[in-house]
Amino acid sequence: MAASFTAEQDEIRRTLRELLTKRCGADGLRAALDSPVGHDPGLWAALAEQLGLPGLALPQEYDGVGASSTELALACEETGRFLAPSPLLATAVLVAPLVLALGGDAQRARLLPRIAAGSLTAALAVPGTALTTALTLTGDNDGEWAGGGRAGGVQARRDGEAGWRLYGQVAQVLDGHSAQLLLVAAHAGGFARSRTLLFLVAGDADGLVRTRQTALDATRPQARLELRDVEGELLGADDGPGVLRELSALGDTVGAVLAAEAVGAADRVLERTVQHVKQREQFGRAIGSFQAVKHRLADVYVQVQAAKSAAYYAAWGAVNGERVGGLALAQALEALRAAAGEGIQLHGGIGFTWEHEAHLYFKRAAGDELLFGPVHRLRAHAAEGARLFESREVTV
C-alpha cells in the first residue's frame, strides 16, 4: 500500500475544499436543509459540472472520470467536513455501482452517462431498517431482509412477458423524496420460490407516494415510499443470487466511503473546537491553556487520527481486495461522536444553541450510527468474518 496520496488525489481534495468553502457556508447549509429537496441544486450542479463528482468512480465509456472508489472516498471526506447535503451518497455510492454491475447494456448506456453528468439523481430503497444487512455491514446478506415472500417489505409480480408491478412500503430511503430514479429491492416469486431482485422505478411513476420524513440528521434527508401497484423495470437479468452478491460486494465500498466522510466531519469539528478554546477566556486566560482542556482535546485528536488512518486504509482496500470498510466505519463513527460531543461541551453555552453548527455534527454522528450501525454490531460482524472468537484446536 502506498502511504501517500497521488498528485491527482491531492488535486481532487484541494479543488473540492475550495469549492465547498465558497458554496457551503453556514447560511448556505441551513438554506439548503430548509429547501424542498433538502440540498442546494446549484451546488450539486457545480460539483457535477466543475469536478465531475457524480461520475468520479464511473468508467470513461459512460462519461465518467475513470477513477476508483478510493478517489470517491477521499472526495467524500471533504463533503463530510462541511456536512454538504447532496445526492452524492445515494446516487454515486449506492445506486451507480449496482447499475454498473447488474444492469444490461442498454440500461447502463441509458442511465450511467446521466448520473455522471449530475442530471439524474437516484436512491436505493431497501425495506425496513435493513440497509446495513443488505450491504453485509452488520449481518449476513441472506435476502430475508427484503420480505422473504411474506407480508411486509416490497413484493413484485410479473405483468405480461417483460413487465413487473411492485407493491409495498419502504421507510428511511436516503434522498428518496427528491430522487428522479429509484432502485427498489423487492421479493418476487412468492414464498416457495422467493428471490430478491432490483427494479428501476421512475420518481414520478403512477401509484408511487413519497413523503419526506423528519430525520434526526437534517443533512441526510430521508423519505418513506409507498408503492401501490407501481410499474417497475427489472435491473439486469432475473438472477436473485447475483443481486445479493453485488449488494454484499458494494457494502465494503460504502463502509469505506462513509468512514472517510465521518473522519472529515470529525476533523472539522475538532478544528473548530481548537480555534474556539484559543479565543474564549476564563479567569483572564484562554481556556485552551488549561491542562484539563488540553488533555481532552489531545485524546480526541488521537482518536480522530487513528480513525483517519483506518479510513484511508479502507479506501485503498476497497479496490485491492481488503474488506475492512465496516471496521473502519465503526472507528470513524466513534471518533466523530467523541469529537462532536467534546465540541459541544467545550463551546460552552453557545455549543447547545440551534444557531451554532456544533449540534449538526453531533446529529450527523448519531444519525449515521442509527442508519449504518450501531458501532458494536459493525465490530461484531467484522469479528465474525475474521473468525476472531472461534475456538481452534492448538497442536503442539
Side-chain angles (χ1 to χ4, degrees):
M1 172 185 174
S4 60
F5 297 116
T6 65
E8 291 78 8
Q9 290 169 341
D10 283 332
E11 184 64 18
I12 290 171
R13 290 151 59 89
R14 183 192 65 79
T15 308
L16 183 53
R17 186 175 298 190
E18 288 180 357
L19 176 62
L20 291 173
T21 299
K22 296 176 182 177
R23 299 290 300 266
C24 200
D27 293 339
L29 174 60
R30 292 179 182 275
L33 299 183
D34 292 336
S35 68
V37 294
H39 65 268
D40 179 5
L43 174 61
W44 175 243
L47 292 175
E49 295 170 5
Q50 297 180 27
L51 302 178
L53 211 57
L56 190 61
L58 287 176
Q60 293 180 352
E61 63 180 298
Y62 298 114
D63 298 338
V65 176
S68 70
S69 57
T70 300
E71 284 73 25
L72 185 58
L74 295 177
C76 285
E77 181 186 358
E78 298 304 320
T79 61
R81 285 180 60 86
F82 295 87
L83 300 182
S86 76
L88 182 65
L89 176 63
T91 301
V93 180
L94 291 173
V95 173
L98 292 172
V99 174
L100 181 62
L102 295 170
D105 292 340
Q107 290 173 329
R108 291 198 294 264
R110 185 177 84 242
L111 300 175
L112 291 179
R114 295 168 61 198
I115 288 177
S119 59
L120 178 67
T121 57
L124 177 63
V126 171
T129 57
L131 180 59
T132 54
T133 302
L135 297 173
T136 323
L137 287 171
T138 57
D140 292 330
N141 183 359
D142 56 8
E144 290 296 319
W145 47 267
R150 305 173 181 84
V154 178
Q155 308 301 318
R157 62 176 175 81
R158 284 194 177 276
D159 181 24
E161 289 296 324
W164 292 82
R165 310 296 295 187
L166 309 179
Y167 57 97
Q169 180 173 298
V170 189
Q172 295 183 318
V173 180
L174 292 176
D175 292 304
H177 65 294
S178 61
Q180 297 157 306
L181 177 70
L182 301 171
L183 187 58
V184 181
H187 252 286
F191 177 72
R193 300 175 56 195
S194 64
R195 61 200 185 281
T196 305
L197 302 173
L198 292 175
F199 296 90
L200 300 167
V201 176
D204 57 356
D206 292 336
L208 175 64
V209 179
R210 305 194 286 181
T211 306
R212 183 175 177 179
Q213 297 177 303
T214 301
L216 173 64
D217 177 13
T219 65
R220 289 210 195 280
Q222 300 175 36
R224 183 180 71 252
L225 308 182
E226 296 177 32
L227 298 102
R228 304 170 180 174
D229 199 31
V230 174
E231 180 182 0
E233 176 189 348
L234 179 65
L235 179 67
D238 188 350
D239 181 9
V243 169
L244 299 183
R245 183 177 59 250
E246 292 301 335
L247 280 168
S248 181
L250 176 63
D252 198 66
T253 298
V254 173
V257 169
L258 287 169
E261 193 182 62
V263 160
D267 198 40
R268 175 61 172 167
V269 74
L270 176 60
E271 178 184 289
R272 293 286 300 274
T273 303
V274 170
Q275 291 174 353
H276 179 75
V277 299
K278 287 181 178 179
Q279 298 171 356
R280 182 184 170 198
E281 293 187 357
Q282 282 186 351
F283 309 110
R285 56 189 287 196
I287 64 171
S289 65
F290 296 128
Q291 191 174 44
V293 174
K294 290 180 179 179
H295 285 176
R296 290 170 69 174
L297 289 175
D299 287 343
V300 173
Y301 175 80
V302 170
Q303 199 168 358
V304 171
Q305 291 304 310
K308 185 178 292 188
S309 296
Y312 289 166
Y313 182 75
W316 173 86
V319 294
N320 288 279
E322 294 282 346
R323 294 186 62 86
V324 292
L327 202 55
L329 176 58
Q331 192 164 353
L333 290 178
E334 203 165 53
L336 176 55
R337 184 172 58 191
E342 289 289 6
I344 288 177
Q345 291 291 325
L346 293 177
H347 271 84
I350 193 175
F352 290 86
T353 63
W354 182 261
E355 289 75 18
H356 200 273
E357 293 180 354
H359 73 95
L360 295 176
Y361 288 88
F362 190 82
K363 288 176 178 177
R364 168 60 69 88
D368 272 9
E369 190 163 355
L370 288 172
L371 280 170
F372 307 110
V375 166
H376 71 272
R377 288 189 61 193
L378 288 165
R379 285 186 171 141
H381 185 64
E384 289 175 5
R387 303 167 66 183
L388 190 61
F389 301 113
E390 201 173 278
S391 59
R392 300 177 186 177
E393 187 176 335
V394 179
T395 304
V396 179

PDB file of all heavy atoms in Angstrom, residues 144 147-151 155 187-195:
ATOM      1  N   GLU A 144     -33.399 -12.344   3.425  1.00  0.00           N
ATOM      2  CA  GLU A 144     -34.619 -12.306   4.236  1.00  0.00           C
ATOM      3  C   GLU A 144     -35.060 -10.878   4.552  1.00  0.00           C
ATOM      4  O   GLU A 144     -36.231 -10.625   4.812  1.00  0.00           O
ATOM      5  CB  GLU A 144     -34.400 -13.082   5.542  1.00  0.00           C
ATOM      6  CG  GLU A 144     -34.297 -14.588   5.362  1.00  0.00           C
ATOM      7  CD  GLU A 144     -35.600 -15.176   4.829  1.00  0.00           C
ATOM      8  OE1 GLU A 144     -36.676 -14.753   5.274  1.00  0.00           O
ATOM      9  OE2 GLU A 144     -35.523 -16.055   3.964  1.00  0.00           O
ATOM     10  N   GLY A 147     -38.199  -9.237   2.772  1.00  0.00           N
ATOM     11  CA  GLY A 147     -39.579  -9.657   2.985  1.00  0.00           C
ATOM     12  C   GLY A 147     -39.763 -11.151   2.946  1.00  0.00           C
ATOM     13  O   GLY A 147     -40.703 -11.682   3.522  1.00  0.00           O
ATOM     14  N   GLY A 148     -38.894 -11.866   2.264  1.00  0.00           N
ATOM     15  CA  GLY A 148     -38.957 -13.313   2.240  1.00  0.00           C
ATOM     16  C   GLY A 148     -40.230 -13.877   1.662  1.00  0.00           C
ATOM     17  O   GLY A 148     -40.603 -15.018   1.932  1.00  0.00           O
ATOM     18  N   GLY A 149     -40.955 -13.116   0.844  1.00  0.00           N
ATOM     19  CA  GLY A 149     -42.198 -13.606   0.275  1.00  0.00           C
ATOM     20  C   GLY A 149     -43.378 -13.450   1.202  1.00  0.00           C
ATOM     21  O   GLY A 149     -44.516 -13.735   0.843  1.00  0.00           O
ATOM     22  N   ARG A 150     -43.130 -12.987   2.424  1.00  0.00           N
ATOM     23  CA  ARG A 150     -44.204 -12.806   3.399  1.00  0.00           C
ATOM     24  C   ARG A 150     -44.717 -11.370   3.322  1.00  0.00           C
ATOM     25  O   ARG A 150     -44.241 -10.562   2.552  1.00  0.00           O
ATOM     26  CB  ARG A 150     -43.703 -13.122   4.801  1.00  0.00           C
ATOM     27  CG  ARG A 150     -43.086 -14.509   4.938  1.00  0.00           C
ATOM     28  CD  ARG A 150     -42.460 -14.680   6.320  1.00  0.00           C
ATOM     29  NE  ARG A 150     -41.852 -15.986   6.466  1.00  0.00           N
ATOM     30  CZ  ARG A 150     -40.638 -16.306   6.070  1.00  0.00           C
ATOM     31  NH1 ARG A 150     -39.903 -15.398   5.463  1.00  0.00           N
ATOM     32  NH2 ARG A 150     -40.154 -17.507   6.256  1.00  0.00           N
ATOM     33  N   ALA A 151     -45.690 -11.080   4.182  1.00  0.00           N
ATOM     34  CA  ALA A 151     -46.192  -9.710   4.247  1.00  0.00           C
ATOM     35  C   ALA A 151     -45.074  -8.786   4.722  1.00  0.00           C
ATOM     36  O   ALA A 151     -44.236  -9.156   5.546  1.00  0.00           O
ATOM     37  CB  ALA A 151     -47.381  -9.635   5.208  1.00  0.00           C
ATOM     38  N   GLN A 155     -43.106  -6.388  -2.603  1.00  0.00           N
ATOM     39  CA  GLN A 155     -43.333  -7.594  -3.395  1.00  0.00           C
ATOM     40  C   GLN A 155     -43.442  -7.215  -4.870  1.00  0.00           C
ATOM     41  O   GLN A 155     -43.920  -6.129  -5.208  1.00  0.00           O
ATOM     42  CB  GLN A 155     -44.619  -8.297  -2.943  1.00  0.00           C
ATOM     43  CG  GLN A 155     -44.693  -8.562  -1.444  1.00  0.00           C
ATOM     44  CD  GLN A 155     -43.558  -9.427  -0.952  1.00  0.00           C
ATOM     45  OE1 GLN A 155     -43.189 -10.408  -1.598  1.00  0.00           O
ATOM     46  NE2 GLN A 155     -42.992  -9.076   0.192  1.00  0.00           N
ATOM     47  N   HIS A 187     -39.036  -8.626  -3.371  1.00  0.00           N
ATOM     48  CA  HIS A 187     -39.089 -10.080  -3.467  1.00  0.00           C
ATOM     49  C   HIS A 187     -40.077 -10.482  -4.550  1.00  0.00           C
ATOM     50  O   HIS A 187     -41.166  -9.912  -4.664  1.00  0.00           O
ATOM     51  CB  HIS A 187     -39.505 -10.694  -2.130  1.00  0.00           C
ATOM     52  CG  HIS A 187     -38.364 -11.387  -1.440  1.00  0.00           C
ATOM     53  ND1 HIS A 187     -37.866 -12.584  -1.851  1.00  0.00           N
ATOM     54  CD2 HIS A 187     -37.622 -11.012  -0.378  1.00  0.00           C
ATOM     55  CE1 HIS A 187     -36.870 -12.941  -1.055  1.00  0.00           C
ATOM     56  NE2 HIS A 187     -36.701 -11.999  -0.154  1.00  0.00           N
ATOM     57  N   ALA A 188     -39.672 -11.445  -5.329  1.00  0.00           N
ATOM     58  CA  ALA A 188     -40.525 -11.962  -6.401  1.00  0.00           C
ATOM     59  C   ALA A 188     -40.642 -13.474  -6.241  1.00  0.00           C
ATOM     60  O   ALA A 188     -39.779 -14.124  -5.667  1.00  0.00           O
ATOM     61  CB  ALA A 188     -39.935 -11.629  -7.765  1.00  0.00           C
ATOM     62  N   GLY A 189     -41.715 -14.042  -6.773  1.00  0.00           N
ATOM     63  CA  GLY A 189     -41.866 -15.490  -6.779  1.00  0.00           C
ATOM     64  C   GLY A 189     -42.651 -16.066  -5.630  1.00  0.00           C
ATOM     65  O   GLY A 189     -42.756 -17.281  -5.514  1.00  0.00           O
ATOM     66  N   GLY A 190     -43.199 -15.189  -4.760  1.00  0.00           N
ATOM     67  CA  GLY A 190     -43.964 -15.716  -3.636  1.00  0.00           C
ATOM     68  C   GLY A 190     -43.062 -16.353  -2.599  1.00  0.00           C
ATOM     69  O   GLY A 190     -41.846 -16.182  -2.598  1.00  0.00           O
ATOM     70  N   PHE A 191     -43.671 -17.145  -1.682  1.00  0.00           N
ATOM     71  CA  PHE A 191     -42.899 -17.722  -0.587  1.00  0.00           C
ATOM     72  C   PHE A 191     -42.058 -18.914  -1.040  1.00  0.00           C
ATOM     73  O   PHE A 191     -40.903 -19.061  -0.681  1.00  0.00           O
ATOM     74  CB  PHE A 191     -43.833 -18.151   0.547  1.00  0.00           C
ATOM     75  CG  PHE A 191     -43.129 -18.819   1.682  1.00  0.00           C
ATOM     76  CD1 PHE A 191     -42.334 -18.081   2.548  1.00  0.00           C
ATOM     77  CD2 PHE A 191     -43.212 -20.184   1.888  1.00  0.00           C
ATOM     78  CE1 PHE A 191     -41.662 -18.687   3.593  1.00  0.00           C
ATOM     79  CE2 PHE A 191     -42.545 -20.799   2.925  1.00  0.00           C
ATOM     80  CZ  PHE A 191     -41.777 -20.049   3.782  1.00  0.00           C
ATOM     81  N   ALA A 192     -42.629 -19.752  -1.853  1.00  0.00           N
ATOM     82  CA  ALA A 192     -41.950 -21.004  -2.211  1.00  0.00           C
ATOM     83  C   ALA A 192     -40.690 -20.765  -3.040  1.00  0.00           C
ATOM     84  O   ALA A 192     -39.674 -21.434  -2.849  1.00  0.00           O
ATOM     85  CB  ALA A 192     -42.913 -21.918  -2.966  1.00  0.00           C
ATOM     86  N   ARG A 193     -40.746 -19.812  -3.971  1.00  0.00           N
ATOM     87  CA  ARG A 193     -39.608 -19.572  -4.866  1.00  0.00           C
ATOM     88  C   ARG A 193     -39.151 -18.124  -4.777  1.00  0.00           C
ATOM     89  O   ARG A 193     -38.777 -17.509  -5.772  1.00  0.00           O
ATOM     90  CB  ARG A 193     -39.990 -19.907  -6.304  1.00  0.00           C
ATOM     91  CG  ARG A 193     -40.413 -21.362  -6.522  1.00  0.00           C
ATOM     92  CD  ARG A 193     -40.891 -21.563  -7.954  1.00  0.00           C
ATOM     93  NE  ARG A 193     -39.860 -21.144  -8.911  1.00  0.00           N
ATOM     94  CZ  ARG A 193     -40.112 -20.933 -10.200  1.00  0.00           C
ATOM     95  NH1 ARG A 193     -41.358 -21.054 -10.663  1.00  0.00           N
ATOM     96  NH2 ARG A 193     -39.137 -20.596 -11.019  1.00  0.00           N
ATOM     97  N   SER A 194     -39.183 -17.564  -3.593  1.00  0.00           N
ATOM     98  CA  SER A 194     -38.879 -16.144  -3.444  1.00  0.00           C
ATOM     99  C   SER A 194     -37.405 -15.870  -3.728  1.00  0.00           C
ATOM    100  O   SER A 194     -36.525 -16.664  -3.428  1.00  0.00           O
ATOM    101  CB  SER A 194     -39.214 -15.680  -2.023  1.00  0.00           C
ATOM    102  OG  SER A 194     -38.391 -16.338  -1.081  1.00  0.00           O
ATOM    103  N   ARG A 195     -37.147 -14.717  -4.317  1.00  0.00           N
ATOM    104  CA  ARG A 195     -35.801 -14.266  -4.609  1.00  0.00           C
ATOM    105  C   ARG A 195     -35.804 -12.748  -4.618  1.00  0.00           C
ATOM    106  O   ARG A 195     -36.818 -12.120  -4.922  1.00  0.00           O
ATOM    107  CB  ARG A 195     -35.319 -14.806  -5.953  1.00  0.00           C
ATOM    108  CG  ARG A 195     -36.157 -14.371  -7.137  1.00  0.00           C
ATOM    109  CD  ARG A 195     -35.954 -15.303  -8.327  1.00  0.00           C
ATOM    110  NE  ARG A 195     -36.656 -14.845  -9.510  1.00  0.00           N
ATOM    111  CZ  ARG A 195     -37.971 -15.010  -9.708  1.00  0.00           C
ATOM    112  NH1 ARG A 195     -38.711 -15.597  -8.782  1.00  0.00           N
ATOM    113  NH2 ARG A 195     -38.543 -14.590 -10.820  1.00  0.00           N
TER     114      ARG A 195
END
